[in-house]
Amino acid sequence: MSTTRPAFTPQFMREDGDAAPWTVLRPDGQLEEGARPTLDDAQLREACELMLFSRAFDEKGFSLQRQGRFGTFSPVRGQEASVVGAAVALDPQRDWVVPQYRELPALLRQGLPLEQFMLTFLGDPRGGLAPEGVNVLPIQIGLAAQLPQAVGLAWGLARQGRDAVVLVFCGDGASSEGDFHEACNLAGTLGAPVVFLLQNNGWAISTPRSRQSAAVTLAARAPGYGIPGSLVDGNDLLAVHEVVSDAVGRARAGDGPSLVETLTYRLGDHNTADDARRYQPADELESWAPRDPIARVLAHLRSRDLWDDEHDAAVRARIGRRIDEAVRTVEGVEPPGVDHLFAHVGEELSPRLARQRADLIASVETR
Amino acid sequence: MSTLNMLQAINATLRAELARDERVMVLGQDVGRLGGVFRATDGLLDEFGADRVVDMPLAEAAIVGASIGLAASGLVPVAELQFLGFSHQAFHQIGAQLARMRYRSQGRFPMPVVLRAPFGGGVRTPELHSEALEAQFVQSPGLAVVTPATPADAKGLLQTAVRSSDPVLFCEPLRGYRLVTGEVPDEDCPIPFGRSRVAREGDDVTIVAWSAAVQVAEKAADVLAEEGISVMVLDLRTLVPLDETGLIEAVAATGRCVVVHEAPLSAGFGAEVVATVNDGAFWSLEAPVARVAAPDTPYPPGRIEDLFVPTVARVVAAVRATVKAG
Ligand SMILES: Cc1ncc(C[n+]2csc(CCOP(=O)(O)OP(=O)(O)O)c2C)c(N)n1
């Protein structure tokens, strides 16, 4: 009874992770065959305005930084659909956003005043305060550190019976950190109501996505953590919204976490201290320009008569006024001082810290 | 001699070490194509190729852990941590692994690994980029902690670091990267670890400092000279190993001492300096040893970092008080 057994081959091959990203809107703004938008007209226009706001703020932030009025700043440029599409899948009243640092419109959607975000980039510690009721954690500079925190937040909210979902952002670079894997793994074991939104923008400063991981897609890691993963066109507002809504719905229904990889592209420098021309191939950059996420939504809205020149001008004027108002407000804020080194370090100032504070104040005064 | 800034000195030294010994390799985030976010490794990829100058995935623990394995395999990794603030992501690989591998393996696996990392404040970076964490590594026995303040010392100490069979944390003052320039010998000039440098002679008081605080001390000394106070500035250059003899002699010579560092006061390396002076120079002291440090608070955002990082004015005030005392 001797049968020859076939030689072993690995059951799970790299190619298994390859899939076409989910799309709803084609680059020309037309719906894919049979696709139906998951946002109604008003929601779509609102989301588009938020994307435009983000783009306008990027420009303002860059110019303020160049004038020395703003600190190092990372624009969202190119990733507006990925951030906004995900954010509008949440209910800001109960759901939470845990950011990396490149997700301003998601924070605004949750209710963070623009002024708070701006204060942070002015180098003022008071920018760290999100008003009570605004469901966001502070922006994160230590890459991937936010991910296990988001799992804990989701776990804790669920344990206390709150009907809340946590949306946590990270980049393709951050997804190489141990904290990323630990967080996904933990979330899977707990069934925590968290959505990992991995924005694959092609780059981590100068390091291309291809050097971060040999995995064909980053979403394909999900089954290894025992959670669903999906790949979506990150420059397609409606596709991102649909996929993230699905993940949020499952999390809300008690079906646990998901990993969503948005395929998008950083249209420019990593931040105001970077010069992407040193490493970003010009032809690659050019190939992404026609896929601009904002142009795509605008084309769609215009084709459905939901946006015209008049509305466009009104929206842009409104955005410009709001940003200018915020700039004036934050630039008028009394500069922070010694007290802001010591405030909020702990619940109480120990006698030793109180003495350090007094010494420092004295040294500033005698100067 | 050439006049170089810190970055140029480091870049030239890395280039020369890569050329000298083909076991040497450079690895880290953005060190290849970009040449490092500060350009410390600029041009090395083109010159030495992608096998020896390696852009790594964004994972500090993997960068340090892999360096341990590379060293065990017989290579000499010089890894860059993009900022010392992100050494925490690798701390278990540094303190619990790299530093004690020679001991754990009873000499079988020495660890010729250099971890280079910019650190220190004053340049309005985003959060977590400026912390002076050097003292945290002093508590990892087996690891040398090197803190050059000048381009010449950066070269000499980096040469020693790369050629050492023990692991070295090489802390580079990012505020001085482009600002601090100086004469650098063109020839080989390795500087042995554990030898402090008298950056400035003086009779009345000794300021002990390292890294960017050395320049703050020197500026304070200029101000104090106008008041007739003669200040010696001692640059420790390496915290581990510590030049106990040089420190004790420098303090005994003036009888007064002020230690300056950027890290928070409590359990900063200044505390170790004071204790060492207490052990070795107590009977020469004419006044208590003073410390000028950051307060025990988180490193703040840019707009108030000048209140946090010790300034020339604070050092001047501390020296005046020390000279008046006793
Ligand atoms: C733990 C840690 N290591 C290194 C850095 C320095 N750093 C800042 S942003 C960045 C690249 C991040 O890439 P990615 O996660 O893809 O996000 P993106 O900036 O592309 O949005 C690096 C290396 C950091 N902030 N934190």
Side-chain angles (χ1 to χ4, degrees):
Chain A
M1 280 275 294
S2 83
T3 54
T4 49
R5 173 171 139 117
F8 173 79
T9 55
Q11 294 93 329
F12 309 105
M13 298 293 289
R14 286 173 48 150
E15 287 84 334
D16 292 351
D18 204 1
W22 186 250
T23 53
V24 174
L25 276 184
R26 297 199 307 245
D28 64 2
Q30 295 307 304
L31 288 171
E32 293 281 3
E33 185 93 18
R36 279 229 237 112
T38 46
L39 291 169
D40 68 25
D41 296 353
Q43 290 170 325
L44 247 177
R45 278 160 44 125
E46 216 174 289
C48 183
E49 180 161 344
L50 193 49
M51 293 167 77
L52 285 167
F53 192 102
S54 175
R55 186 68 64 92
F57 185 77
D58 282 350
E59 273 150 31
K60 189 69 175 185
F62 244 82
S63 81
L64 289 176
Q65 195 280 337
R66 291 292 184 256
Q67 297 163 38
R69 291 157 71 191
F70 217 44
T72 309
F73 160 71
S74 298
V76 186
R77 194 181 174 82
Q79 300 175 221
E80 293 88 351
S82 168
V83 178
V84 173
V88 296
L90 299 182
D91 172 3
Q93 301 301 319
R94 51 183 169 162
D95 298 329
W96 284 70
V97 164
V98 178
Q100 190 161 292
Y101 44 71
R102 206 188 286 286
E103 299 90 12
L104 169 65
L107 300 174
L108 296 176
R109 169 99 189 336
Q110 289 295 103
L112 186 77
L114 180 62
E115 285 79 359
Q116 292 307 105
F117 187 80
M118 291 187 70
L119 276 176
T120 295
F121 288 91
L122 279 171
D124 190 320
R126 288 167 291 187
L129 176 67
E132 204 56 54
V134 176
N135 295 337
V136 299
L137 292 192
I139 62 165
Q140 181 60 258
I141 301 296
L143 290 165
Q146 72 277 19
L147 295 157
Q149 298 170 8
V151 176
L153 179 62
W155 181 18
L157 290 167
R159 263 210 49 191
Q160 294 166 81
R162 306 262 201 91
D163 179 21
V165 175
V166 176
L167 173 69
V168 58
F169 288 90
C170 80
D172 46 305
S175 83
S176 296
E177 290 279 7
D179 275 357
F180 174 86
H181 304 286
E182 295 178 27
C184 290
N185 186 62
L186 177 64
T189 66
L190 296 168
V194 57
V195 179
F196 298 99
L197 200 289
L198 197 176
Q199 294 198 76
N200 173 1
N201 67 2
W203 295 92
I205 309 186
S206 77
T207 309
R209 154 66 184 86
S210 57
R211 290 204 71 97
Q212 290 299 344
S213 173
V216 178
T217 66
L218 301 174
R221 294 169 174 169
Y225 310 119
I227 68 179
S230 27
L231 191 65
V232 54
D233 179 344
N235 285 15
D236 178 341
L237 176 79
L238 287 171
V240 174
H241 177 258
E242 185 173 353
V243 170
V244 175
S245 296
D246 170 69
V248 167
R250 275 183 286 103
R252 213 185 287 296
D255 292 335
S258 306
L259 172 63
V260 176
E261 175 183 0
T262 59
L263 287 175
T264 179
Y265 197 77
R266 200 189 77 206
L267 285 178
D269 295 339
H270 166 71
N271 63 22
T272 46
D274 181 38
D275 178 6
R277 284 166 306 181
R278 285 179 70 97
Y279 54 82
Q280 204 172 37
D283 52 346
E284 186 183 290
L285 186 61
E286 272 162 36
S287 78
W288 279 86
R291 286 182 266 175
D292 189 301
I294 296 181
R296 191 182 303 194
V297 183
L298 282 174
H300 177 71
L301 288 169
R302 280 177 183 275
S303 76
R304 290 175 51 198
D305 291 329
L306 294 171
W307 201 276
D308 59 18
D309 290 349
E310 201 185 322
H311 184 66
D312 193 79
V315 165
R316 288 175 200 265
R318 182 156 67 223
I319 289 170
R321 279 195 305 274
R322 175 69 187 102
I323 292 175
D324 287 345
E325 173 196 287
V327 172
R328 271 196 307 278
T329 306
V330 295
E331 291 195 333
V333 170
E334 175 132 350
V338 170
D339 278 345
H340 298 96
L341 292 175
F342 292 87
H344 307 296
V345 173
E347 189 174 350
E348 279 173 24
L349 213 55
S350 69
R352 185 172 164 89
L353 266 180
R355 190 173 58 74
Q356 291 181 11
R357 178 160 154 272
D359 287 351
L360 209 52
I361 290 170
S363 85
V364 175
E365 278 164 2
T366 56
R367 210 192 286 165
Chain B
M1 286 281 187
S2 309
T3 306
L4 302 178
N5 66 27
M6 292 294 279
L7 272 174
Q8 291 164 331
I10 290 162
N11 182 263
T13 305
L14 290 172
R15 177 173 286 110
E17 291 302 298
L18 281 157
R20 182 187 58 78
D21 180 348
E22 61 182 28
R23 295 172 309 156
V24 175
M25 56 188 289
V26 164
L27 63 160
Q29 292 159 10
D30 306 294
V31 296
R33 181 66 50 222
L34 183 63
V37 288
F38 292 103
R39 312 289 181 261
T41 55
D42 199 17
L44 301 182
L45 172 67
D46 286 341
E47 204 167 326
F48 299 99
D51 281 348
R52 297 186 64 201
V53 179
V54 187
D55 276 323
M56 294 286 281
L58 212 167
E60 290 77 10
I63 290 170
V64 179
S67 295
I68 294 171
L70 286 162
S73 83
L75 294 172
V76 178
V78 180
E80 177 177 299
L81 296 170
Q82 203 162 74
F83 291 87
L84 189 62
F86 305 126
S87 61
H88 284 136
Q89 274 77 357
F91 202 83
H92 65 299
Q93 289 288 356
I94 301 173
Q97 301 299 328
L98 178 64
R100 50 186 305 143
M101 187 57 92
R102 182 194 282 268
Y103 182 77
R104 180 185 297 149
S105 69
Q106 291 293 288
R108 167 84 197 279
F109 296 115
M111 282 287 124
V113 173
V114 183
L115 306 178
R116 298 179 34 250
F119 84 121
V123 297
R124 311 278 181 269
T125 61
E127 200 189 358
L128 308 179
H129 288 66
S130 295
E131 279 81 348
L133 303 177
E134 68 274 22
Q136 298 186 358
F137 296 92
V138 170
Q139 287 258 319
S140 296
L143 183 69
V145 179
V146 177
T147 51
T150 68
D153 283 354
K155 173 174 180 177
L157 292 168
L158 186 54
Q159 284 186 330
T160 303
V162 176
R163 298 169 194 185
S164 166
S165 66
D166 283 320
V168 178
L169 179 69
F170 193 83
C171 303
E172 302 171 1
L174 70 88
R175 181 163 26 137
Y177 260 163
R178 292 194 174 81
L179 282 180
V180 177
T181 57
E183 294 284 290
V184 178
D186 294 320
E187 65 283 0
D188 247 27
C189 57
I191 298 169
F193 291 171
R195 304 246 182 104
S196 58
R197 170 182 74 100
V198 176
R200 180 183 177 119
E201 299 284 356
D203 304 321
D204 297 330
V205 57
T206 303
I207 302 182
V208 178
W210 53 92
S211 194
V214 172
Q215 276 89 29
V216 175
E218 288 176 321
K219 286 193 194 118
D222 287 340
V223 173
L224 291 156
E226 285 170 23
E227 300 173 10
I229 299 175
S230 164
V231 176
M232 178 194 295
V233 175
L234 185 76
D235 174 3
L236 289 181
R237 299 204 289 197
T238 65
L239 307 185
V240 180
L242 174 63
D243 179 6
E244 288 190 53
T245 310
L247 171 62
I248 288 163
E249 283 175 6
V251 175
T254 64
R256 294 169 202 271
C257 178
V258 174
V259 194
V260 182
H261 63 66
E262 279 193 23
L265 181 78
S266 296
F269 194 72
E272 194 58 39
V273 171
V274 176
T276 305
V277 167
N278 195 44
D279 283 347
F282 183 76
W283 303 108
S284 320
L285 286 177
E286 295 179 43
V289 181
R291 286 181 287 167
V292 181
D296 293 330
T297 62
Y299 196 100
R303 254 183 131 176
I304 45 174
E305 69 181 316
D306 293 343
L307 296 169
F308 177 89
V309 176
T311 53
V312 172
R314 283 181 60 207
V315 176
V316 166
V319 170
R320 281 191 199 127
T322 300
V323 170
K324 269 197 216 117

mmCIF file of all heavy atoms in Angstrom, chain A residues 214-238:
data_model
loop_
_atom_site.group_PDB
_atom_site.id
_atom_site.type_symbol
_atom_site.label_atom_id
_atom_site.label_comp_id
_atom_site.label_asym_id
_atom_site.label_seq_id
_atom_site.Cartn_x
_atom_site.Cartn_y
_atom_site.Cartn_z
ATOM 1 N N ALA A 214 8.150 42.633 2.485
ATOM 2 C CA ALA A 214 8.114 41.793 1.292
ATOM 3 C C ALA A 214 6.700 41.303 1.010
ATOM 4 O O ALA A 214 6.449 40.675 -0.014
ATOM 5 C CB ALA A 214 9.060 40.606 1.465
ATOM 6 N N ALA A 215 5.776 41.593 1.909
ATOM 7 C CA ALA A 215 4.381 41.209 1.673
ATOM 8 C C ALA A 215 3.869 41.941 0.436
ATOM 9 O O ALA A 215 4.178 43.107 0.232
ATOM 10 C CB ALA A 215 3.521 41.573 2.890
ATOM 11 N N VAL A 216 3.079 41.253 -0.374
ATOM 12 C CA VAL A 216 2.570 41.869 -1.595
ATOM 13 C C VAL A 216 1.654 43.041 -1.249
ATOM 14 O O VAL A 216 1.709 44.098 -1.847
ATOM 15 C CB VAL A 216 1.837 40.831 -2.469
ATOM 16 C CG1 VAL A 216 1.264 41.496 -3.707
ATOM 17 C CG2 VAL A 216 2.784 39.713 -2.858
ATOM 18 N N THR A 217 0.810 42.809 -0.260
ATOM 19 C CA THR A 217 0.009 43.915 0.270
ATOM 20 C C THR A 217 0.135 43.870 1.792
ATOM 21 O O THR A 217 0.378 42.808 2.375
ATOM 22 C CB THR A 217 -1.484 43.793 -0.097
ATOM 23 O OG1 THR A 217 -2.019 42.646 0.572
ATOM 24 C CG2 THR A 217 -1.689 43.646 -1.592
ATOM 25 N N LEU A 218 -0.044 45.010 2.416
ATOM 26 C CA LEU A 218 0.048 45.051 3.877
ATOM 27 C C LEU A 218 -1.246 44.534 4.502
ATOM 28 O O LEU A 218 -1.239 43.970 5.594
ATOM 29 C CB LEU A 218 0.365 46.474 4.332
ATOM 30 C CG LEU A 218 1.687 47.017 3.751
ATOM 31 C CD1 LEU A 218 1.878 48.486 4.116
ATOM 32 C CD2 LEU A 218 2.886 46.196 4.219
ATOM 33 N N ALA A 219 -2.351 44.686 3.761
ATOM 34 C CA ALA A 219 -3.636 44.180 4.244
ATOM 35 C C ALA A 219 -3.600 42.661 4.391
ATOM 36 O O ALA A 219 -4.296 42.087 5.225
ATOM 37 C CB ALA A 219 -4.755 44.576 3.284
ATOM 38 N N ALA A 220 -2.744 42.021 3.582
ATOM 39 C CA ALA A 220 -2.690 40.559 3.592
ATOM 40 C C ALA A 220 -2.121 40.009 4.890
ATOM 41 O O ALA A 220 -2.165 38.800 5.136
ATOM 42 C CB ALA A 220 -1.859 40.063 2.416
ATOM 43 N N ARG A 221 -1.588 40.872 5.722
ATOM 44 C CA ARG A 221 -1.109 40.393 7.015
ATOM 45 C C ARG A 221 -2.270 40.023 7.942
ATOM 46 O O ARG A 221 -2.082 39.273 8.905
ATOM 47 C CB ARG A 221 -0.320 41.496 7.716
ATOM 48 C CG ARG A 221 0.967 41.883 7.032
ATOM 49 C CD ARG A 221 1.447 43.156 7.698
ATOM 50 N NE ARG A 221 2.756 43.584 7.232
ATOM 51 C CZ ARG A 221 3.266 44.777 7.531
ATOM 52 N NH1 ARG A 221 2.567 45.616 8.297
ATOM 53 N NH2 ARG A 221 4.445 45.117 7.101
ATOM 54 N N ALA A 222 -3.442 40.588 7.664
ATOM 55 C CA ALA A 222 -4.555 40.479 8.610
ATOM 56 C C ALA A 222 -4.869 39.040 9.024
ATOM 57 O O ALA A 222 -5.025 38.764 10.217
ATOM 58 C CB ALA A 222 -5.790 41.179 8.047
ATOM 59 N N PRO A 223 -4.976 38.105 8.069
ATOM 60 C CA PRO A 223 -5.321 36.737 8.480
ATOM 61 C C PRO A 223 -4.326 36.161 9.486
ATOM 62 O O PRO A 223 -4.699 35.329 10.322
ATOM 63 C CB PRO A 223 -5.278 35.954 7.159
ATOM 64 C CG PRO A 223 -5.473 36.981 6.102
ATOM 65 C CD PRO A 223 -4.869 38.249 6.624
ATOM 66 N N GLY A 224 -3.096 36.619 9.422
ATOM 67 C CA GLY A 224 -2.111 36.159 10.395
ATOM 68 C C GLY A 224 -2.443 36.594 11.817
ATOM 69 O O GLY A 224 -1.980 35.981 12.783
ATOM 70 N N TYR A 225 -3.223 37.639 11.944
ATOM 71 C CA TYR A 225 -3.669 38.074 13.268
ATOM 72 C C TYR A 225 -5.076 37.549 13.559
ATOM 73 O O TYR A 225 -5.660 37.874 14.595
ATOM 74 C CB TYR A 225 -3.713 39.612 13.358
ATOM 75 C CG TYR A 225 -2.454 40.314 12.904
ATOM 76 C CD1 TYR A 225 -2.472 41.213 11.839
ATOM 77 C CD2 TYR A 225 -1.242 40.084 13.551
ATOM 78 C CE1 TYR A 225 -1.330 41.861 11.426
ATOM 79 C CE2 TYR A 225 -0.082 40.733 13.138
ATOM 80 C CZ TYR A 225 -0.134 41.621 12.066
ATOM 81 O OH TYR A 225 0.997 42.263 11.657
ATOM 82 N N GLY A 226 -5.621 36.832 12.590
ATOM 83 C CA GLY A 226 -6.974 36.319 12.767
ATOM 84 C C GLY A 226 -8.047 37.379 12.614
ATOM 85 O O GLY A 226 -9.126 37.282 13.207
ATOM 86 N N ILE A 227 -7.755 38.413 11.834
ATOM 87 C CA ILE A 227 -8.756 39.467 11.637
ATOM 88 C C ILE A 227 -8.927 39.731 10.138
ATOM 89 O O ILE A 227 -8.041 39.411 9.356
ATOM 90 C CB ILE A 227 -8.364 40.781 12.370
ATOM 91 C CG1 ILE A 227 -7.128 41.449 11.741
ATOM 92 C CG2 ILE A 227 -8.118 40.509 13.856
ATOM 93 C CD1 ILE A 227 -6.714 42.749 12.420
ATOM 94 N N PRO A 228 -10.073 40.291 9.740
ATOM 95 C CA PRO A 228 -10.264 40.570 8.318
ATOM 96 C C PRO A 228 -9.388 41.739 7.851
ATOM 97 O O PRO A 228 -9.180 42.690 8.607
ATOM 98 C CB PRO A 228 -11.742 40.956 8.194
ATOM 99 C CG PRO A 228 -12.343 40.851 9.547
ATOM 100 C CD PRO A 228 -11.255 40.641 10.546
ATOM 101 N N GLY A 229 -8.912 41.626 6.633
ATOM 102 C CA GLY A 229 -8.127 42.711 6.052
ATOM 103 C C GLY A 229 -8.717 43.098 4.716
ATOM 104 O O GLY A 229 -9.253 42.252 4.009
ATOM 105 N N SER A 230 -8.649 44.376 4.371
ATOM 106 C CA SER A 230 -9.085 44.763 3.031
ATOM 107 C C SER A 230 -8.211 45.848 2.450
ATOM 108 O O SER A 230 -7.566 46.610 3.162
ATOM 109 C CB SER A 230 -10.550 45.185 2.997
ATOM 110 O OG SER A 230 -10.954 45.688 4.235
ATOM 111 N N LEU A 231 -8.230 45.834 1.134
ATOM 112 C CA LEU A 231 -7.403 46.747 0.364
ATOM 113 C C LEU A 231 -8.355 47.656 -0.393
ATOM 114 O O LEU A 231 -9.306 47.195 -1.009
ATOM 115 C CB LEU A 231 -6.596 45.906 -0.626
ATOM 116 C CG LEU A 231 -5.475 46.585 -1.385
ATOM 117 C CD1 LEU A 231 -4.381 47.013 -0.418
ATOM 118 C CD2 LEU A 231 -4.895 45.596 -2.413
ATOM 119 N N VAL A 232 -8.073 48.952 -0.343
ATOM 120 C CA VAL A 232 -9.014 49.868 -0.980
ATOM 121 C C VAL A 232 -8.229 50.980 -1.678
ATOM 122 O O VAL A 232 -7.142 51.362 -1.229
ATOM 123 C CB VAL A 232 -10.018 50.435 0.068
ATOM 124 C CG1 VAL A 232 -9.316 51.071 1.241
ATOM 125 C CG2 VAL A 232 -10.983 51.433 -0.557
ATOM 126 N N ASP A 233 -8.794 51.466 -2.770
ATOM 127 C CA ASP A 233 -8.209 52.610 -3.460
ATOM 128 C C ASP A 233 -8.318 53.813 -2.521
ATOM 129 O O ASP A 233 -9.405 54.333 -2.278
ATOM 130 C CB ASP A 233 -8.975 52.865 -4.768
ATOM 131 C CG ASP A 233 -8.426 54.065 -5.537
ATOM 132 O OD1 ASP A 233 -7.673 54.870 -4.938
ATOM 133 O OD2 ASP A 233 -8.749 54.184 -6.737
ATOM 134 N N GLY A 234 -7.186 54.244 -2.014
ATOM 135 C CA GLY A 234 -7.184 55.304 -1.009
ATOM 136 C C GLY A 234 -7.410 56.685 -1.576
ATOM 137 O O GLY A 234 -7.498 57.654 -0.820
ATOM 138 N N ASN A 235 -7.478 56.800 -2.892
ATOM 139 C CA ASN A 235 -7.768 58.102 -3.485
ATOM 140 C C ASN A 235 -9.220 58.196 -3.924
ATOM 141 O O ASN A 235 -9.607 59.085 -4.665
ATOM 142 C CB ASN A 235 -6.833 58.368 -4.668
ATOM 143 C CG ASN A 235 -5.435 58.714 -4.181
ATOM 144 O OD1 ASN A 235 -5.113 58.482 -3.016
ATOM 145 N ND2 ASN A 235 -4.615 59.261 -5.053
ATOM 146 N N ASP A 236 -10.000 57.241 -3.458
ATOM 147 C CA ASP A 236 -11.405 57.141 -3.832
ATOM 148 C C ASP A 236 -12.236 57.300 -2.560
ATOM 149 O O ASP A 236 -12.358 56.373 -1.754
ATOM 150 C CB ASP A 236 -11.617 55.764 -4.484
ATOM 151 C CG ASP A 236 -13.059 55.499 -4.884
ATOM 152 O OD1 ASP A 236 -13.972 56.172 -4.368
ATOM 153 O OD2 ASP A 236 -13.259 54.578 -5.703
ATOM 154 N N LEU A 237 -12.773 58.488 -2.389
ATOM 155 C CA LEU A 237 -13.515 58.811 -1.167
ATOM 156 C C LEU A 237 -14.604 57.782 -0.880
ATOM 157 O O LEU A 237 -14.756 57.310 0.246
ATOM 158 C CB LEU A 237 -14.137 60.204 -1.307
ATOM 159 C CG LEU A 237 -15.016 60.645 -0.136
ATOM 160 C CD1 LEU A 237 -14.166 61.123 1.024
ATOM 161 C CD2 LEU A 237 -15.992 61.734 -0.560
ATOM 162 N N LEU A 238 -15.349 57.449 -1.912
ATOM 163 C CA LEU A 238 -16.501 56.566 -1.698
ATOM 164 C C LEU A 238 -16.077 55.137 -1.392
ATOM 165 O O LEU A 238 -16.701 54.456 -0.582
ATOM 166 C CB LEU A 238 -17.426 56.612 -2.922
ATOM 167 C CG LEU A 238 -18.221 57.916 -3.031
ATOM 168 C CD1 LEU A 238 -18.941 58.008 -4.373
ATOM 169 C CD2 LEU A 238 -19.228 58.037 -1.880
#
